[in-house]
Amino acid sequence: MSSSSLTELPTRRQAFSVVFAIELWERFGYYGMQAVLTLYLVQRLGLSDVAANVMIAAFVGLTYITPVLGGFAGDRILGPRRTMLMGAFALVFGYAALALADQHRSLLFFAMALISAGNGLFKPNAANLVRRIYEGDDAALDAAFTIYYMSVNVGSTVSMLITPLLQDRYGPASAFLTCSGGLVVGLAYYFWRRRWIHHAGSALDQGPFQLKPFLTVFGGFVLTVLVLTGIIASPGIARLCVWCATAAIAFLWGRLYLRSGNAARPGLRLTFLLCLESMAYLIFYQQMMTSLTLFALRAVDGDLRIGGVTLVHLSAGQFQALNPIWIMLASPVLAALYNRLARQGRDLSLAHKMVLGFGLVTLGFLIWWIAASHAQPLVSAWVMVLGYGLISIAELLTMALGLAIIARYTLPESSGFMMGSLYLLWGVAMYAGSLVANFAAATGTPATGAAAAALYVPLFRDLFVAGLILTGVLVCLLPLAKRWDREHVMATGPHVHPDARSAMPAEMEG
């Protein structure tokens, strides 16, 4: 090959920029939709708090489960690059259908199912492409995942600030169409620069396009959308699916444990424990999309003031943007702290980080409980800033460690299955978290001000108590976790799975 042709080959950085751009705009769309969905269901469609929370429970739970199917399609049938593209197009049409549902209500369940299934195709395969682009270069992979996950938070922050404003001024259709349009921009950049990423992906992506695998995945996608539409529309079916998923995880975990050798079992026990702890965090996390958004709508003063001067006004949906903002601010601080402790030989174990995370969650809901109990008549916006900061840092100490847990304690041959089961667990937890929000559901005409704040006092109090109990339980389990970790190291040696080096704090993915 001539030197001139070599210089024409796309670089890894160019290939990564394509994935980075489409991921940024995909997260822009998803989190923009999330910021306004609860308010849309309650304010525009007139659903009760209970009905809205139940619908969101099914939708978000399924959105976390479908990546298991999408990852399989990308790995075994169509290839990650082509599967990711199919998911991106599905999301474009899903957000557009949600915009049309404002005038044609019959489209609502179909639109939500389309988004859930599209996310399942997109999410696992976009991350898979990043790994394949930098395969064999661990240092570059670390940097790439840092930037990749930062794109998640940048996209979600911008959209969570924009879409609630659009919904308030121009109606929900404008907000959902903006989500769709953002992903169109990402796809346009992809096709403009597709030459840069043509070499990326698996062997399935490299070969000529074949109709049969495409139709197989497309047919499975259509069937999935139809099934999900029925599940989202039927609370009873959704509840049955959650119970079945929970039973399946318990059975498959037991089967994996019994079939594993003695050397793998201590690591598996610790993996099971820490995964369940990260699952428990999501019940608290899901309040951001449900009860905390409705609390902000009815009982929080949206003006951030200092000394009587209003700095900025945040609507109920825009408060959710505090989560990615805090993630971006806290991530480098925590990374520096981890490195400093490691140099001093005082590195925190994953179990200790979980305990700290639940301690912060507990403190966050204590603050919300006290603030709701003393609303005069509205709760200060600074209470939301502080509360969101605490549970966002807790996210980095709990759920964001999911990949690191599996990479550290699970053998490579079972890590793929364990990551899939972790997504299933998270889906179950998101479902449960939305139902927990119903303990503060308004009935009849919702109150405002102090009367509305009083409605959330029991929920925030109970979540504080639950967090306190969980923190205590996790502290009691620390000696057991330490023993299992020691047994794991003795059985397998100080082995680090390659994926552990790329286990960066991620968003709440959805």
Side-chain angles (χ1 to χ4, degrees):
M1 184 179 292
S2 67
S3 59
S4 61
S5 61
L6 283 172
T7 60
E8 292 174 0
L9 289 174
T11 65
R12 286 178 168 183
R13 181 176 298 178
Q14 288 174 322
F16 172 73
S17 73
V18 179
V19 183
F20 170 84
I22 197 169
E23 171 69 20
L24 186 151
W25 285 107
E26 188 277 328
R27 292 291 87 183
F28 174 94
Y30 182 82
Y31 281 101
M33 176 274 302
Q34 175 182 297
V36 299
L37 183 59
T38 299
L39 300 173
Y40 168 67
L41 295 176
V42 172
Q43 291 181 298
R44 186 77 169 192
L45 300 189
L47 269 64
S48 67
D49 288 8
V50 171
N53 286 335
V54 169
M55 188 181 301
I56 287 172
F59 169 63
V60 176
L62 292 170
T63 300
Y64 269 80
I65 292 173
T66 51
V68 178
L69 302 177
F72 177 83
D75 287 342
R76 302 292 181 87
I77 305 174
L78 193 59
R81 178 160 50 85
R82 289 166 177 165
T83 307
M84 179 193 73
L85 274 180
M86 183 182 290
F89 277 107
L91 288 167
V92 168
F93 290 112
Y95 299 135
L98 203 52
L100 292 174
D102 191 42
Q103 299 297 325
H104 306 280
R105 303 295 165 83
S106 59
L107 285 174
L108 178 63
F109 299 129
F110 171 75
M112 296 173 78
L114 195 54
I115 293 168
S116 181
N119 181 79
L121 292 177
F122 184 94
K123 189 173 180 65
N125 292 294
N128 191 10
L129 276 178
V130 176
R131 290 191 179 93
R132 289 181 178 276
I133 289 170
Y134 288 98
E135 194 168 13
D137 190 342
D138 293 333
L141 184 62
D142 286 348
F145 265 96
T146 304
I147 299 171
Y148 178 77
Y149 285 127
M150 187 61 68
S151 75
V152 169
N153 292 296
V154 170
S156 59
T157 300
V158 173
S159 62
M160 283 180 163
L161 293 173
I162 291 176
T163 54
L165 185 65
L166 291 173
Q167 178 167 257
D168 291 342
R169 293 189 178 181
Y170 306 108
S174 65
F176 295 131
L177 285 174
T178 298
C179 297
S180 181
L183 195 45
V184 168
V185 173
L187 281 168
Y189 183 80
Y190 176 92
F191 283 105
W192 179 38
R193 296 299 191 187
R194 64 185 181 276
R195 178 179 61 84
W196 288 355
I197 201 170
H198 183 71
H199 67 288
S202 68
L204 295 171
D205 286 306
Q206 303 306 323
F209 176 80
Q210 295 182 2
L211 188 60
K212 183 177 179 180
F214 172 80
L215 291 178
T216 299
V217 175
F218 183 75
F221 172 77
V222 171
L223 180 61
T224 300
V225 171
L226 294 176
V227 171
L228 295 186
T229 301
I231 294 174
I232 295 172
S234 174
I237 296 176
R239 185 165 53 250
L240 177 62
C241 289
V242 169
W243 280 112
C244 289
T246 305
I249 292 171
F251 171 76
L252 292 172
W253 275 10
R255 185 170 176 264
L256 173 64
Y257 185 80
L258 292 174
R259 290 192 171 190
S260 299
N262 291 331
R265 287 184 175 181
L268 280 176
R269 288 196 295 268
L270 192 50
T271 301
F272 296 158
L273 174 63
L274 296 176
C275 284
L276 289 173
E277 291 176 8
S278 73
M279 172 189 177
Y281 165 78
L282 279 169
I283 295 174
F284 298 88
Y285 173 91
Q286 184 60 10
Q287 303 312 307
M288 287 192 282
M289 186 179 179
T290 51
S291 63
L292 285 171
T293 293
L294 296 175
F295 175 66
L297 174 68
R298 297 162 181 161
V300 175
D301 181 359
D303 292 333
L304 278 171
R305 299 187 184 92
I306 293 181
V309 178
T310 300
L311 302 178
V312 65
H313 176 82
L314 295 176
S315 68
Q318 288 175 319
F319 277 108
Q320 292 185 55
L322 292 171
N323 175 239
I325 290 173
W326 273 109
I327 292 291
M328 287 188 287
L329 292 174
S331 293
V333 176
L334 281 179
L337 180 61
Y338 293 159
N339 289 333
R340 181 176 180 180
L341 290 174
R343 287 195 299 269
Q344 297 173 353
R346 297 187 296 156
D347 191 20
L348 291 175
S349 69
L350 294 177
H352 279 91
K353 290 173 184 176
M354 288 281 183
V355 171
L356 290 175
F358 275 92
L360 293 176
V361 165
T362 303
L363 183 57
F365 280 96
L366 173 62
I367 290 171
W368 274 311
W369 173 27
I370 294 172
S373 302
H374 298 86
Q376 298 178 358
L378 295 174
V379 174
S380 169
W382 288 108
V383 170
M384 302 298 286
V385 173
L386 180 57
Y388 267 87
L390 290 169
I391 63 175
S392 298
I393 297 172
E395 177 185 342
L396 294 172
L397 293 166
T398 54
M399 180 189 167
L401 298 175
L403 177 60
I405 292 168
I406 291 169
R408 185 176 298 186
Y409 295 115
T410 305
L411 296 179
E413 54 266 28
S414 58
S415 62
F417 162 74
M418 284 303 302
M419 182 53 68
S421 66
L422 181 60
Y423 273 109
L424 285 171
L425 274 180
W426 285 351
V428 171
M430 299 288 261
Y431 177 88
S434 296
L435 296 187
V436 166
N438 278 336
F439 287 108
T443 56
T445 303
T448 56
L455 178 67
Y456 293 89
V457 169
L459 173 64
F460 295 158
R461 179 199 63 214
D462 292 347
L463 287 170
F464 160 70
V465 173
L468 199 61
I469 293 172
L470 279 169
T471 304
V473 170
L474 298 191
V475 169
C476 294
L477 288 173
L478 280 175
L480 185 62
K482 184 177 181 179
R483 191 183 82 194
W484 286 346
D485 180 69
R486 185 170 59 249
E487 291 174 355
H488 168 74
V489 172
M490 291 176 61
T492 63
H495 152 268
V496 178
H497 191 286
D499 283 348
R501 290 185 290 268
S502 60
M504 304 299 298
E507 89 298 351
M508 281 313 318
E509 298 246 328

